[in-house]
Amino acid sequence: MSLIVFGFIVYLPFFLRSFLCPRHPHVLNVYFGVPGSGKTTFAAYLTRWALHENAIIRFCRKNQNFLTRPILNSRFLKRRIPVYSNVPITGAYRLDPKADIGTFMIEDAKVIIDEAGIEYNNRNYKSFPKEAVYFYKYHRHYKVSVDVFSQSCEDMDVTLRRLAQNFYVVRRSLVPFCIVARRIRRRVGVDEQTKQIADLFFMGTPVLDTRRIFSPPLWKLFNSYSRKELPQKKWERW
């Protein structure tokens, strides 16, 4: 009996926290990893988190009256956050980064950019729209968080890298069907070799700066092999 009471006391804070609205920091995060490391799976995880809504809020939406309206107006219960993504993820709005970012209003939302090395290639910096530069620089003013995914942090435009508050390296965990995203911390310092002011990077702590997710429930939210269809050609033999 004592074990049951002890277990209830331990679980109670986590149960109560599930009803509260978690923080939605309006930051720009960059995730990178080798092909097949689980970047799109992690994007699906972030989408599912944003779209999740507290059961009490869902009930109050369906039964709006003078008793439920104060609950709906409360900021302490988790409610869905719209997600705009350029990769097909169930529940997210379809986004064209080059045509939509900075052109159409996006606020109080989460923006997910996959394959940033293609959308905003660092060798094609002149094609980075000025409207998009403005939006990314002022994304906090729009109350928007941005999650950028790429195979390398260097193949995307430097504008995104300079605006990023957090960097994460994504890899497969030693635990089967799990993915790990470990934070790379950044601080401004003096390079010992060049004696110039520079951004210095170092790996975060294995526990506090590491996020682990279980992949299988997320696989149904996206198609890992989605692609742009190309025209067929009749190939001639040599």
Side-chain angles (χ1 to χ4, degrees), residues 60 63-73:
C60 292
N63 305 275
Q64 296 192 29
N65 52 55
F66 71 97
L67 293 176
T68 59
R69 289 193 190 96
I71 299 177
L72 288 173
N73 294 331

Short mmCIF file of all heavy atoms in Angstrom, two decimals, residues 60 63-73:
data_model
loop_
_atom_site.label_atom_id
_atom_site.label_comp_id
_atom_site.label_asym_id
_atom_site.label_seq_id
_atom_site.Cartn_x
_atom_site.Cartn_y
_atom_site.Cartn_z
N CYS A 60 -14.32 22.14 -23.58
CA CYS A 60 -14.91 23.48 -23.45
C CYS A 60 -15.23 24.08 -24.81
O CYS A 60 -16.20 24.84 -24.94
CB CYS A 60 -13.97 24.39 -22.67
SG CYS A 60 -13.79 23.94 -20.92
N ASN A 63 -18.54 22.72 -25.78
CA ASN A 63 -19.62 23.08 -24.88
C ASN A 63 -19.38 24.48 -24.32
O ASN A 63 -19.06 24.64 -23.14
CB ASN A 63 -19.74 22.06 -23.74
CG ASN A 63 -19.92 20.64 -24.23
OD1 ASN A 63 -21.01 20.19 -24.51
ND2 ASN A 63 -18.81 19.92 -24.34
N GLN A 64 -19.50 25.47 -25.17
CA GLN A 64 -19.23 26.83 -24.75
C GLN A 64 -20.43 27.43 -24.03
O GLN A 64 -21.54 27.45 -24.57
CB GLN A 64 -18.85 27.70 -25.94
CG GLN A 64 -17.55 27.28 -26.63
CD GLN A 64 -17.05 28.31 -27.60
OE1 GLN A 64 -17.28 29.50 -27.45
NE2 GLN A 64 -16.32 27.85 -28.62
N ASN A 65 -20.20 27.88 -22.80
CA ASN A 65 -21.23 28.55 -22.02
C ASN A 65 -20.53 29.46 -21.01
O ASN A 65 -19.29 29.61 -21.05
CB ASN A 65 -22.16 27.54 -21.33
CG ASN A 65 -21.39 26.51 -20.54
OD1 ASN A 65 -20.57 26.85 -19.67
ND2 ASN A 65 -21.62 25.23 -20.85
N PHE A 66 -21.28 30.04 -20.10
CA PHE A 66 -20.69 30.98 -19.15
C PHE A 66 -19.72 30.30 -18.18
O PHE A 66 -18.89 30.97 -17.56
CB PHE A 66 -21.81 31.70 -18.37
CG PHE A 66 -22.53 30.83 -17.38
CD1 PHE A 66 -22.17 30.83 -16.04
CD2 PHE A 66 -23.56 29.99 -17.80
CE1 PHE A 66 -22.84 30.02 -15.13
CE2 PHE A 66 -24.22 29.18 -16.89
CZ PHE A 66 -23.86 29.20 -15.55
N LEU A 67 -19.82 28.98 -18.06
CA LEU A 67 -18.90 28.26 -17.18
C LEU A 67 -17.59 27.90 -17.88
O LEU A 67 -16.53 27.88 -17.26
CB LEU A 67 -19.58 26.98 -16.65
CG LEU A 67 -20.76 27.16 -15.70
CD1 LEU A 67 -21.37 25.81 -15.35
CD2 LEU A 67 -20.33 27.90 -14.43
N THR A 68 -17.67 27.58 -19.16
CA THR A 68 -16.48 27.13 -19.88
C THR A 68 -15.68 28.27 -20.49
O THR A 68 -14.50 28.11 -20.79
CB THR A 68 -16.88 26.15 -21.00
OG1 THR A 68 -17.79 26.82 -21.90
CG2 THR A 68 -17.55 24.92 -20.43
N ARG A 69 -16.30 29.42 -20.71
CA ARG A 69 -15.57 30.54 -21.33
C ARG A 69 -14.38 31.00 -20.50
O ARG A 69 -13.32 31.30 -21.07
CB ARG A 69 -16.53 31.70 -21.58
CG ARG A 69 -17.52 31.44 -22.72
CD ARG A 69 -18.24 32.69 -23.15
NE ARG A 69 -19.33 32.38 -24.07
CZ ARG A 69 -20.59 32.23 -23.71
NH1 ARG A 69 -20.94 32.39 -22.43
NH2 ARG A 69 -21.52 31.94 -24.60
N PRO A 70 -14.48 31.12 -19.17
CA PRO A 70 -13.27 31.49 -18.39
C PRO A 70 -12.12 30.49 -18.57
O PRO A 70 -10.96 30.88 -18.58
CB PRO A 70 -13.78 31.51 -16.95
CG PRO A 70 -15.24 31.76 -17.06
CD PRO A 70 -15.67 31.05 -18.30
N ILE A 71 -12.47 29.21 -18.74
CA ILE A 71 -11.43 28.20 -18.95
C ILE A 71 -10.80 28.38 -20.33
O ILE A 71 -9.58 28.28 -20.49
CB ILE A 71 -12.02 26.78 -18.82
CG1 ILE A 71 -12.57 26.59 -17.40
CG2 ILE A 71 -10.97 25.72 -19.14
CD1 ILE A 71 -13.25 25.25 -17.20
N LEU A 72 -11.62 28.66 -21.34
CA LEU A 72 -11.09 28.88 -22.69
C LEU A 72 -10.19 30.11 -22.74
O LEU A 72 -9.25 30.16 -23.53
CB LEU A 72 -12.24 29.03 -23.68
CG LEU A 72 -13.02 27.76 -24.02
CD1 LEU A 72 -14.23 28.09 -24.88
CD2 LEU A 72 -12.12 26.76 -24.73
N ASN A 73 -10.48 31.11 -21.92
CA ASN A 73 -9.67 32.33 -21.89
C ASN A 73 -8.41 32.18 -21.06
O ASN A 73 -7.56 33.06 -21.06
CB ASN A 73 -10.50 33.49 -21.35
CG ASN A 73 -11.65 33.86 -22.28
OD1 ASN A 73 -11.56 33.67 -23.49
ND2 ASN A 73 -12.74 34.37 -21.72
#
